[in-house]
Amino acid sequence: MVFGSIIASPRGNLSLQQTLDLANLYLENASKSKDPDITLVLCHDTEVSLTHVKKAAKVNDDESMHERIATVYVSLGNLLDSNGHRDEAQAFYKKSGKWGGRAQKSGQSAHPSRPTSVSSTDTTIHKPLPRPSVSPLKQGSNTATALRNVFPTNVRPPTMVFSPLEPDSRLNDTPQLACCLALLQSSYQPDDLIDPIARNWLRSTKNEPDEQERLKTLATDVVRAFKRDEFKNAKSVTEVVYLAPVLENDDFRYLLKEFYMGIDQSGLLDIHQLEGLARVIQGADPGYIDADDLAKVLSLLSTRLSDTHQQSANHLYQLTVAVSHVLDAMADADVKGLDREKIHEPLSVYLDELKESSDPYLVYQAAYAYQALLCVPDNESLWQATLRRTGKVIQGVSGLVSAVKGLDLNGFIKGLENIQQGLIGAAEVVHLVKSAYGEAISFTQSGQGFFECLKEGLSFSRKCAWYSALRGADTLIRDGQFAELKKLICEAPCRRDPAFQWGVCQRLGVIAADSKWDTETRQGAITFLGEIYRDDVVWGHQSNVKQWIVSILMQLSSIPGGENQAAETLLQELGKEGDATKQAFYRLCRENGSGSHPLKIGLPPMGSPSLLDHVQERPDVEGNLRQLRRQRLKERGKFVYIPPQAKANLQARDEARLPLMEMLDAFLSSDQKVFLLLGDSGAGKSTFNRELECHLWQSYKKGGVIPLHINLPALDRPEHDMIAKQLRRVEFTEPQIRELKAHRKFLLICDGYDESQQNHNLYTSNRLNQSGEWNAKMVISCRSEYLGVDYRDRFQPGDRNRQPESGLFQEAVITPFSVGQVQDYITQYVSVYRPLWEVDEYKKSLDVIPSLKELVKNPFLMSLSLEVLPRMVDPGQDLSTTQISRMALYDQFIEHWLERGKRRLGEKNLSPQARSAFESLIDEGFTRNGIDYLKKLSAAIYKEQGGQPIVTYSRYKDENSWKQSFFSREEEKQILREVCPLIRSGNQHRFIHRSMLEYGVSLAIFDPQDWKERIVAESSATYKRNGRPVMRSYRDDGEDEASAMIEQEPDFNSPIVWRSFVNESSVLQFLEERVHQDKLFEKQLFGYIERSKTDDKWCVASANAITILIRAGVQFNSTDLRGIQIPYADLSYGMFESAQLQGADLRQVDLRGAWLRKADLSDAQMAGVQFGELPYLEQECKIFSCVYSPDGKSLAVGLEDGKMIVYSTSSWETLWILEGHSDGVNSITYSSDSNQIVTGSDDKTARLWDIQTGNCIYNLNGHDSRVASVAYSPQGDQVASASDDTTAKVWSVQTGKCCLTLNGHTDRVLGVIYSPKGNQIASNSDDCTVRLWDTEAGKCLHVLRGHSKGVMSVAYSAQGDQVASASYDRTVGLWDVVTGDCRHILTGHEGRVFTVMFSPNGSQLATSSADASVGLWDVERGVRLHTLRGHNEWVRSVVYSPQGDLIASASHDKTVRLWDTETGVCRQTLTGHSHKVFRVVFSPKEYQVASISYDMTVRLWNVGARMSQHFSRGHNDTVRQVKSSPKGDFIATCSDDYTVRIWDVETGVCRQILRGYSSVYCVAYSPQGDQIATGSNIVQLWNARTGTCTHSLTAHNYHINAVAYPPHGYQLASASYDRTVRLWDGRSGECSHVLTGHTKSVTGVMYSPSGNQVVTSSVDSTLRIWDVDTGICNHILTGHTDEILSAAYSLQGDHIVSSSKDTAVRVWNVSTGEGCELFEYNKPVQTLAYSPRGNQIACGDTRGSVQVWATEARTCLWNLTGHTGEVNKILYSSQGDVVISASDDESVRLWDVTSGQCHAVIQGYKGSIMDIAWIESSGINYLVAGCLDGFVGMWQVRIDDHQSQVSLRWMSTNGKLDVEEATVQGLQGLSPLDMQLLKQRGAAVGEPAHRLREASKKVTAMTSAVSTLKDGVVKDPDMTVHMMVEQLQQRVEQVQDPLFRNILSGFVRDIISVWNS
């Protein structure tokens, strides 16, 4: 401890004679003492007393005085030597020699009876100075013996009696807790402890980390309870003080802060907390309190010291004690840099003022505090400090520190001597203490306070030794080193200092009063007090000390206990000591009492109940948590687990994946609250959730975050109190639940959001992290297909419109297994389960089976595959032809599971009843019974529980319910339940995976085995009837014939009838596969649709059926669907060209992207139908501006003619047409409350409008040129305008007057915006600068310079701390608004930057540019995140969605694109504008976008409408090429949408999607059909069966223009923009030759028919013929003068024909390389083709004409006209009789080469036909076309007698709604907006033209039928009428239109009737 200073009488004030007398007195007493220790002390005092004499001797150079001093040193040495102090004796001998004496040699000693005295006489000193006039104190053996018996040995420090404590048991009190924690923190090993009980406890507890953590947690909880304690009385303070020394660092600092705040915030000084603070600081371990803490506390106490000056002395005293303790700790901590002005100097001055207090206790405590303050270094420089301190003092302090640290008592005392000597002779004057008893009495009698004498001895200006001595005494007392304490007290050089004695007596009194010390020690302390009082010779006559001793003894005598009697006895003895004067003094002391400040004897008692009692009333939760942890870890078991990977969101590419656990770890360490985990069914979400839970439980530490796995389907209404419900399920009590809610944090792992069929936001509905609610983060999993586009609203914390909350949300989507993960899974699976196959066998199957590799990317399907593959694949089977579907895997898995269960039961010891039931099931077909149980249970779960997968069964509660049929105790039910793929937890049952339930219900809808049995049964019956067998294999081709015999009567009890599965994507996927596998199911579905026409009970089944068929790719072109009832069906992206839908019930049907061209929707019910689009707003002139109101309720549009139109966004009706401007309205801005609008116009004015009334409030005149931009202030009191007149102006909204004119720009001002706070305006100008203005004063704050061209756009960040500027110089600037400094210059755009915008949260920046791209930038780092490419012309505008997850961009390419801000992926391309789009805006409240274009329309896009559960499988951008496989069974198309798609020719289903790295320009099939080559920026080779990329060939430097295979082999040629052609080995991917020579881009490459040559064409106007074996160029074909456009080989390979931009067509001899011009066109020939026989060449030119030339005669056979646009592709049919041409006029024409007639026209499609292919398969001809807008269509072509009949077979959609020429008369329930949309999209309100054309065709067909009948009779008289009618009926059946077919059928019946008559 560090206290103030009371120094002894300074010897510098004594005369020389007095000094000599004092020395003689000490020397005489030393010789008389029989106690060696006291003798030593008195000898040292003798030396100290000689100081003044020695100084005088030096000054006067008095040799005689030198001699006398030397003589005294000899006498001192002799005396000490005789008492055994040899070392000290030698020191004095040496000093004698220094003063001129003869040093005593070692071993020599004189033993005089008494030492020589010194005198101040002239020459010698003969006799001692007279003693003070007091009665002599008795000396001798009694006194020596008394001190010798005081503290004879050290004692063990007091310790609490340890009570044994069992783990998890309740503690008795807080000291017991402190003792336990102290033992745990000690460095003792268990065997080192003396107490065996403590030793055993510590040994056992060291091995119980949970118990250790529990004790620490209890201590933490006590501290927290103290904080909650409103009163904080002495008892609660005592309790936490007990714990303070054993607290963890964080808890200790928390407690320290609580004391600090309590003292700081209390009105009156809280003494209890003050004492607590002092004790806590005193008992703090090193390192727990740093210098800053102490300085802060000291500053507080200093302030309170000043504030408390006028309060009670007790308050002052307590506060001063606290200051002392703080300063002690600061001195120990070696605090540096204390601010003298703020703390050090004021505190020292104030403490000095306390010197004048009338309270001696306070004066002493102030002096002590001051001494402590002097030991705390201030911030003076070193040289300033040394001016006031001698080197002796500095040395002493240094020595003192080392002595204290090492507990070296001798060194410690030596350090005190150095300090003491340094203080002697100081220049300051200090008054002599009035110490004589008589003088003290006289002072009292004269009215002066008894302790006034004390104050005169206090020093408040210099360091004193006594303070350090007392700090040392405290250390010794604490450690029980009382023997050393006695030595310190007796030998300290300051021992006679009254301040030291005051402190010593105080400490002895505390020891005597403290019952923790033993009786002998306490008695010794009382005896020591008595000796100090008695022995005036040794301790002096300090009256203040004597009074203090009497006061202490009086207090001790009043304390109950054994020592009160000893104190009282001593008081009685002291009253009799000495002469009458001393006895009178004693009586005066008794009269003054025991003092106003009692001794601090230990801590006050603790309260009952204590804080610990309250804490322990909290229920124990850790025991239950440990049990839950053990249970969950045990349940994990051993299974195959591959750590999944995930992408950022649904739109991200699978390649952008990261380890999912890493993403979760980052989430857990962040401030985010909700992590949404998405994935397909079977992706591994639940498996990961369980693994995450186990991972967290394994690392769980007591008091940490609790991982709580919640199976959402198992909870009743998890949207309310979800955590409590789950805790009750795992047997937590209500008190425990309340405890957890109040004090613990959770990580909720919520599994199965989709299975629980939730639509609530569980985070918000459970009020997580709100005041008084659960503290939790949430991980929640859901299947991707369950969600719509607005799915984030269901999971994101808070209001979706509050941007800050979006930062609390994160999502991830589990990606399919990579190849490496698949391999790892197989390896683990074989290791864990030991199946029949080895790893290599599995890998071989996955590599070879075409369909399997894609399936096993799904973890659950992977597990099924490995389970059943050995039984699905026969030995020796050709795996390359094996087809395995998802449905087949489940079929096999279920059978395998049931058979395995059957074997297990067969080996089991069953009861007789169970055995009988088991054998009965076997007899009936065990597997089929198991499957029937599965189907029925699945159907019941959907019917009774709505698909909720968990069934809770209670025997008594559910006895008569549907559950009884499946979960009763009947033997058969128990057996079936046991063998089915079910799991049970308590009374809850569920399938092993959700998909098993979905598979089961799909089987209940259609089970092919059931139909097979019906076929067999029907066939057997037929056999019995007809006497011949018709039974066939289930997979026979004749199955359809057999099944046709079964009457198709759908089952009304089927789930498909009573349950809508439209939104059950997984179930639909199973049923979709059934359609592909079983034609019978497809027929059944059509049967449901047909029955719905007449009976509405089938409407649900019909809606399900048509949804399934659409998903399966079935097209309904020209289908009779009149009157069908399919409400709520999903027809999105379905094909319904010319479909008859009259009177159909289409309510709530999803028609997004549906192809309804020429469909008849007359009288259909269409209420609530979804088109996903809104009608556009058409204007009469150009649109200049467009903006949504902040509340999203209106949209304002500014027009070229000066008008502004305001629309209501709810109905899109016109609210106002605001007229007033005389020229175009350039800019519109709403006020923040949406009630006003300000507009800026080319007429040089701005206007302020009232949106409520439509009135113009003010016309803001003042600009001299057009107003380019206007802005509203956030506060709504100002508007700003920017003008071409180089100024910006600020206007008052209240008055309409100009407040400020902002001058400074030197060119037109293009834009102006307010900062978010409204205190700044930013303006951008053509003068290359941005200026920031103060909105109040109009002062230009900063000019932002750095751009080299005009600044087109400027934007503030959401926080208002940054400004971004976009310039024509192709850069973007980021500027600090406070300093005006440029933070970043963003470069990377290759064209002008038009617009710049901050994301809503300010972390991202979006820019639009003339380089056709959108840039996404990281604001903090100034780096580009993504370059969004897709537009092919300028991007003029870019805008963020309010949530910041989307960006909309508007381009001159007539499109609007939506981009994902995280991934940069284009989500959607919005087409419809017919001219450049230059602005796009987002609605602030909905996912709605408005775009404006030069086509004078505003188009509205509902990008947030209900999302279809499936997507278009078609291209969404230009189809570049169409190629067929060698067998004609597949078609490959490549597109600018970065994909190649593989189509099934028969069904039109997209079988594979091959994803490239950029636009795919070319595609080719290998001759074997097993490989596909594609060209984009690189060449990629793909496995045609599996869709796997086998090679990526990256040698070319630029994009690939063409790829080609030879007629046979695996070589591949690629032509590139880099002017080279490369030949590759298609199997190895190695490049065999690089063909160089062309000087410009190589645009085409093709192999000769023999494959030995390759010809290339180039922009350099040449063709080259190369040898494929050597890579040598054989010929360079020159003659063209411009770019080669097309080339073709003749069938024989001897000639090549080519066309060029030079308009010439040339024929070349392959052998010689010579060529001649065949003919010359007026326009370039874009495409040409040889006929199959080589006798013709067909050419298509850029003006739209097609010509057919004879190759030999070189004459034009036919000039075929009809196209109105450039011909892009021309080809011959396989027979050469038809030429097919595709054109930019959006049509395909078929020409007869014999007659030159156009037989058929395929037209009406929006977009150029880019490529066509002719396919002949099974004698049927097909034509495939790929279009500019992404369509791929296939038509069947019948050629008969030079006539071509073309019928649409199938068409892919591009996701765009098409209703052109659709009939929409009499629609019921369709909203006016949707009707307007249909009309705008070309729907026909009246009788459509195509119906008139069809009528004409029907008349022609009727005429043809009659003619056929007549011709048949004439040509073949023998033909019977019956035969002719049959032929006629066959012709009728070929008619596609069902309506017309019915008419013709009636017509034929009439003919037959007439003929018969």
Side-chain angles (χ1 to χ4, degrees), residues 493-524:
C494 57
R495 60 188 173 276
R496 292 177 66 89
D497 193 316
F500 176 70
Q501 293 180 10
W502 184 287
V504 166
C505 292
Q506 183 184 50
R507 284 155 178 76
L508 291 172
V510 171
I511 294 171
D514 193 346
S515 60
K516 295 194 299 293
W517 299 108
D518 61 84
T519 301
E520 182 180 358
T521 300
R522 295 169 67 190
Q523 181 64 53

Side-chain angles (χ1 to χ4, degrees), residues 811-1042:
E811 63 181 302
V813 183
I814 295 181
T815 56
F817 270 170
S818 64
V819 174
Q821 287 175 303
V822 169
Q823 304 295 335
D824 291 344
Y825 193 101
I826 294 173
T827 302
Q828 278 195 36
Y829 179 86
V830 171
S831 174
V832 172
Y833 297 112
R834 303 294 181 184
L836 296 175
W837 280 10
E838 296 297 330
V839 173
D840 291 340
E841 294 175 280
Y842 280 117
K843 289 182 178 180
K844 179 182 177 182
S845 298
L846 296 184
D847 289 338
V848 178
I849 299 176
S851 56
L852 195 56
K853 185 167 289 187
E854 190 67 29
L855 288 175
V856 298
K857 291 181 180 179
N858 180 287
F860 186 71
L861 294 182
M862 177 72 176
S863 64
L864 295 190
S865 301
L866 300 186
E867 180 84 12
V868 302
L869 264 178
R871 57 182 279 134
M872 294 183 71
V873 176
D874 297 328
Q877 181 178 345
D878 182 5
L879 298 180
S880 63
T881 61
T882 303
Q883 290 292 329
I884 296 179
S885 66
R886 178 171 176 261
M887 178 66 82
L889 283 178
Y890 279 81
D891 287 340
Q892 288 291 329
F893 177 80
I894 290 299
E895 290 187 14
H896 177 60
W897 184 284
L898 292 171
E899 290 173 4
R900 187 171 58 188
K902 173 184 171 183
R903 288 195 302 271
R904 186 177 66 251
L905 286 175
E907 299 167 358
K908 190 175 180 181
N909 186 19
L910 300 175
S911 67
Q913 296 84 355
R915 175 64 62 182
S916 175
F918 176 62
E919 292 173 354
S920 177
L921 290 171
I922 292 176
D923 292 340
E924 297 170 6
F926 189 87
T927 301
R928 285 307 304 168
N929 274 305
I931 292 175
D932 285 342
Y933 180 88
L934 172 75
K935 291 191 304 183
K936 292 175 181 177
L937 176 58
S938 300
I941 289 174
Y942 268 93
K943 187 171 187 176
E944 304 296 340
Q945 297 191 162
Q948 207 277 353
I950 296 179
V951 181
T952 302
Y953 175 73
S954 173
R955 178 183 176 187
Y956 299 103
K957 180 179 177 182
D958 300 309
E959 186 174 2
N960 296 318
S961 71
W962 65 274
K963 302 175 187 179
Q964 182 78 7
S965 302
F966 302 97
F967 302 103
S968 68
R969 293 189 176 183
E970 295 177 18
E971 281 75 10
E972 282 193 3
K973 298 293 189 298
Q974 286 182 313
I975 290 173
L976 292 173
R977 190 164 63 248
E978 185 175 344
V979 298
C980 272
L982 294 169
I983 54 178
R984 176 183 176 183
S985 177
N987 64 343
Q988 291 187 335
H989 304 263
R990 63 177 300 167
F991 285 97
I992 60 173
H993 192 266
R994 166 82 188 190
S995 60
M996 286 294 169
L997 170 63
E998 294 158 338
Y999 167 79
V1001 79
S1002 72
L1003 271 184
I1005 292 172
F1006 182 83
D1007 185 349
Q1009 189 65 26
D1010 288 345
W1011 288 99
K1012 178 180 178 180
E1013 292 170 357
R1014 291 183 60 182
I1015 291 170
V1016 170
E1018 187 67 22
S1019 300
S1020 299
T1022 304
Y1023 177 85
K1024 292 178 181 179
R1025 291 194 300 270
N1026 300 333
R1028 58 185 177 88
V1030 295
M1031 182 176 177
R1032 302 175 183 270
S1033 169
Y1034 181 59
R1035 296 295 180 187
D1036 282 349
D1037 294 335
E1039 179 183 322
D1040 289 345
E1041 180 182 338

Side-chain angles (χ1 to χ4, degrees), residues 1885-1907:
V1885 177
E1887 187 69 21
H1890 76 274
R1891 298 295 290 171
L1892 300 177
R1893 290 195 295 270
E1894 290 295 330
S1896 175
K1897 292 180 182 179
K1898 293 172 184 176
V1899 172
T1900 303
M1902 287 183 181
T1903 304
S1904 176
V1906 174
S1907 175

Side-chain angles (χ1 to χ4, degrees), residues 1838-1852:
R1838 290 188 174 90
I1839 302 174
D1840 186 13
D1841 296 332
H1842 304 291
Q1843 297 292 320
S1844 298
Q1845 294 184 1
V1846 179
S1847 58
L1848 178 65
R1849 186 66 180 263
W1850 55 262
M1851 178 174 283
S1852 74

Side-chain angles (χ1 to χ4, degrees), residues 246 477 596 718 753 847 878 931 992 1026 1274 1443 1538 1687 1709 1772 1795:
V246 294
I477 294 171
S596 58
Y753 181 87
D847 289 338
D878 182 5
I931 292 175
I992 60 173
N1026 300 333
Q1443 292 73 29
Y1538 295 18
N1709 186 297
Y1772 277 90
S1795 64

Side-chain angles (χ1 to χ4, degrees), residues 1153-1256:
W1155 184 273
L1156 291 162
R1157 179 174 291 190
K1158 301 180 184 179
D1160 193 339
L1161 296 164
S1162 301
D1163 302 318
Q1165 300 180 53
M1166 301 187 70
V1169 72
Q1170 296 284 334
F1171 292 110
E1173 302 177 31
L1174 295 172
Y1176 57 79
L1177 309 175
E1178 191 168 12
Q1179 310 301 326
E1180 297 178 353
C1181 60
K1182 288 183 180 178
I1183 305 169
F1184 279 13
S1185 52
C1186 174
V1187 66
Y1188 278 97
S1189 63
D1191 60 10
K1193 294 181 179 179
S1194 63
L1195 177 79
V1197 179
L1199 304 179
E1200 181 185 31
D1201 61 6
K1203 295 178 182 177
M1204 181 176 62
I1205 303 177
V1206 182
Y1207 295 93
S1208 166
T1209 56
S1210 60
S1211 63
W1212 293 106
E1213 295 179 352
T1214 301
L1215 295 176
W1216 304 106
I1217 299 177
L1218 307 180
E1219 300 182 72
H1221 286 296
S1222 58
D1223 210 337
V1225 179
N1226 296 311
S1227 179
I1228 306 172
T1229 304
Y1230 277 87
S1231 62
S1232 57
D1233 60 6
S1234 301
N1235 291 329
Q1236 291 182 347
I1237 289 177
V1238 62
T1239 56
S1241 169
D1242 281 347
D1243 66 4
K1244 307 180 185 179
T1245 70
R1247 285 178 178 261
L1248 197 60
W1249 309 83
D1250 188 319
I1251 198 66
Q1252 304 299 319
T1253 64
N1255 295 329
C1256 178

Side-chain angles (χ1 to χ4, degrees), residues 1522-1525 1528-1533 1541-1545 1565 1813 1815 1822-1824 1832-1834 1850:
V1522 178
K1523 296 293 173 65
S1524 74
S1525 63
D1529 49 351
F1530 292 103
I1531 296 168
T1533 58
R1541 295 173 189 256
I1542 312 301
W1543 309 87
D1544 187 297
V1545 168
Y1565 264 102
I1815 301 173
Y1822 299 102
L1823 175 67
V1824 184
V1832 177
M1834 191 179 82
W1850 55 262

